[in-house]
Amino acid sequence: GQNIDQPTEMTATEGAIVQINCTYQTSGFNGLFWYQQHAGEAPTFLSYNVLDGLEEKGRFSSFLSRSKGYSYLLLKELQMKDSASYLCAVRDNTDKLIFGTGTRLQVFP
Amino acid sequence: DTEVTQTPKHLVMGMTNKKSLKCEQHMGHRAMYWYKQKAKKPPELMFVYSYEKLSINESVPSRFSPECPNSSLLNLHLHALQPEDSALYLCASSPLMNRESYEQYFGPGTRLTVT
C-alpha cells in the first residue's frame, strides 16, 4: 500500500529554523515534492527531489534519502507568513502524486 | 501566464441539482487533474487527463463526470451529489504526466457545499 507520514503539527518562533520530516512507503518512486498550502488556498510548489541529497532554494531546503524512504523540508529564518500546511508528496510508479497528511506549522512572534 | 483558474470559487447545490466546475490553464500543459480535498486532509486524486484523454479514474462515483473539451479546459460535471461530497475541489496541470521533474500547478479551488 501507499503510506506517507508527516508530523501533524509543529510550532516554531519567528527567525528560528524548523525541520519537517516525511517518511514514505509507496509503489515505486519517481520523485518527491514539497508543497505549501495556506488555509483555504491551493497548494504551491516548493521543491522537488529525485536523487539523494540536499536541494537548496533560498530559505527553504529539501533533503532526500531514497534508501531510507525519508525526506525533510528545512525552513530557515522563519517568518510569520510561513505559517501554513506543508505537504509531502511522492510520485509513484504510475506517475500519480500521492500526498501525505500534511504538517500544520504555526510560527509565533 | 503561470496560472490555473477555477470557477466558481464557491458553490452551494442541492442533492438533485446538476452543476459544473470549470478549470482553465494557458501554459500549454498537456496533463490536467482533479483533486478532492476535505478539511485538514491532503488532496486526493480523482481524475487525470493526458493529451485530452482520460488516463486515470481513481474509482470515482459516476455522479462526478469529467470532461476535457480542449487542451486548456477541464470540466467536472456534478449530478445527484451527497452531503459528504462537500469539499474543496482542486484542479491542477503539469507540462506532461511523466517521470520528469514537472511539478503540478494548482488552481485556487472551488469550495463545494452540498445541502
Side-chain angles (χ1 to χ4, degrees):
Chain A
Q2 315 273 47
N3 197 40
I4 300 177
D5 286 320
Q6 306 176 232
T8 305
E9 290 188 358
M10 297 184 73
T11 59
T13 307
E14 204 173 10
I17 299 174
V18 72
Q19 178 174 312
I20 303 174
N21 296 325
C22 171
T23 56
Y24 63 89
Q25 290 176 302
T26 55
S27 304
F29 178 84
N30 287 309
L32 186 143
F33 297 77
W34 283 96
Y35 281 84
Q36 180 191 60
Q37 187 175 26
H38 285 98
E41 297 182 11
T44 55
F45 170 77
L46 289 178
S47 68
Y48 170 77
N49 295 72
V50 68
L51 299 177
D52 291 349
L54 189 68
E55 294 283 339
E56 296 187 79
K57 212 186 218 185
R59 293 189 299 116
F60 294 0
S61 304
S62 57
F63 171 83
L64 174 67
S65 169
R66 288 171 297 170
S67 62
K68 294 180 180 176
Y70 168 70
S71 172
Y72 67 72
L73 180 70
L74 194 71
L75 293 77
K76 302 176 189 173
E77 301 169 19
L78 280 173
Q79 301 174 9
M80 298 296 290
K81 67 178 183 180
D82 297 329
S83 294
S85 285
Y86 291 85
L87 301 167
C88 171
V90 171
R91 196 198 306 274
D92 71 6
N93 59 4
T94 66
D95 291 331
K96 290 188 301 188
L97 209 54
I98 312 298
F99 283 88
T101 51
T103 299
R104 273 194 307 282
L105 173 67
Q106 275 190 293
V107 180
F108 292 101
Chain B
D1 184 1
T2 57
E3 196 179 39
V4 177
T5 58
Q6 289 187 244
T7 55
K9 286 188 178 178
H10 300 274
L11 178 62
V12 179
M13 61 185 289
M15 290 188 283
T16 58
N17 292 158
K18 283 185 182 180
K19 297 286 184 184
S20 296
L21 309 185
K22 296 184 184 304
C23 174
E24 192 166 2
Q25 57 87 14
H26 295 288
M27 294 178 278
H29 290 174
R30 302 314 298 269
M32 296 186 77
Y33 311 78
W34 279 116
Y35 288 87
K36 173 182 176 180
Q37 187 176 26
K38 303 282 273 186
K40 299 185 179 180
K41 298 287 187 183
E44 294 177 18
L45 183 66
M46 300 174 72
F47 302 104
V48 182
Y49 274 82
S50 182
Y51 291 93
E52 294 113 71
K53 291 193 185 331
L54 183 65
S55 60
I56 293 178
N57 176 342
E58 288 289 281
S59 303
V60 179
S62 59
R63 58 186 185 269
F64 295 91
S65 174
E67 179 197 18
C68 190
N70 60 54
S71 60
S72 299
L73 292 174
L74 185 67
N75 298 323
L76 186 63
H77 303 297
L78 314 172
H79 173 56
L81 294 194
Q82 305 295 312
E84 59 264 29
D85 297 322
S86 299
L88 180 68
Y89 287 83
L90 293 164
C91 174
S93 71
S94 66
L96 288 169
M97 189 188 171
N98 62 22
R99 294 174 185 186
E100 301 300 320
S101 60
Y102 291 127
E103 67 267 24
Q104 293 180 19
Y105 293 79
F106 284 84
T110 294
R111 175 81 51 196
L112 174 68
T113 303
V114 182
T115 60

